[in-house]
Amino acid sequence: MRSLFRLTAVEFRLLLRDATALFVVLALPVGFLLIFGSMISGGASAPGADPRATREFFSAMAVSLSLGMLALFTIPTYLGTYREKGILRRLSVTPVRPAALLLAQLTVHAAMALVGLALVIAVGSALLGVGVPQNLPGFLVAFVLGTLALFALGLLVAAIAPSGRAAGGIGPLLFFPLLFFAGAWMPKERMPDLLARIADFTPLSATMDSLQTAWQGGDPRVLHLAVLLVFALVVGLLAARAFRWE
């Protein structure tokens, strides 16, 4: 337990030194929320749409963006770079187990995810009038399951990527299609039925829909929570089994 704590502390310090990563996963989602939220506040929303509901939609998307970028950009790149530079090889001759390193990475990035969530809620409440999620327990369940599911996918990418450059290519290759299915470019209501059905079974879409529903006071769909739980368990197990020092 002491070695895990020390390893987590080291990983946390390394992440704090990476200004680029912090900007991408923290500042960009908040900037996204401010841009689109201010457009809605200025009357740019669709006719007949509820401005508050639309701002809550973009708030949920901002949180999902932060989780997705942490999962598919920073986690794979960090571990892929460690493998490329031989850091993992050197760790292999120490008592540190692969599971400990993965757990340390999860802990550090989960802390960053919480910071990102707090920033989105604080900025949304102070400047856009979004407020805290109305169904807070449902929101927290969706946030935890979404974080676990997306981070498991990021760990799987890290497990199979031979280098930081490879991880930096595989992560975005997964992230942008997932972002499409989450409704970033086309609302799910306008998607063909087949695409909308597929979106229900993708982790980023299930996360965003669950967060948005809870933010608006509803209960997240059981289907979406089940999808996230299955992703977290199955993909997480695959990542743990596939991860090697070499």
Side-chain angles (χ1 to χ4, degrees), residues 79-153:
L79 291 175
T81 302
Y82 286 178
R83 180 175 287 111
E84 182 180 357
K85 293 184 175 181
I87 296 174
L88 298 184
R89 188 182 305 114
R90 292 194 290 272
L91 284 174
S92 67
V93 298
T94 71
V96 176
R97 305 296 299 171
L101 179 61
L102 296 184
L103 184 57
Q105 284 286 326
L106 282 175
T107 302
V108 168
H109 286 85
M112 289 296 104
L114 287 173
V115 173
L117 172 63
L119 283 174
V120 169
I121 292 178
V123 171
S125 298
L127 301 181
L128 303 175
V130 176
V132 298
Q134 298 177 49
N135 180 0
L136 190 56
F139 184 89
L140 293 177
V141 170
F143 179 79
V144 170
L145 288 178
T147 300
L148 292 175
L150 290 167
F151 281 17
L153 188 59

Side-chain angles (χ1 to χ4, degrees), residues 35-115:
I35 291 171
F36 285 94
S38 60
M39 290 172 59
I40 296 163
S41 299
S45 57
D50 182 358
R52 181 181 178 86
T54 307
R55 286 193 292 267
E56 289 167 344
F57 166 81
F58 285 116
S59 297
M61 181 174 285
V63 174
S64 302
L65 279 173
S66 180
L67 291 177
M69 288 188 291
L70 279 168
L72 295 173
F73 286 67
T74 62
I75 291 177
T77 301
Y78 266 79
L79 291 175
T81 302
Y82 286 178
R83 180 175 287 111
E84 182 180 357
K85 293 184 175 181
I87 296 174
L88 298 184
R89 188 182 305 114
R90 292 194 290 272
L91 284 174
S92 67
V93 298
T94 71
V96 176
R97 305 296 299 171
L101 179 61
L102 296 184
L103 184 57
Q105 284 286 326
L106 282 175
T107 302
V108 168
H109 286 85
M112 289 296 104
L114 287 173
V115 173

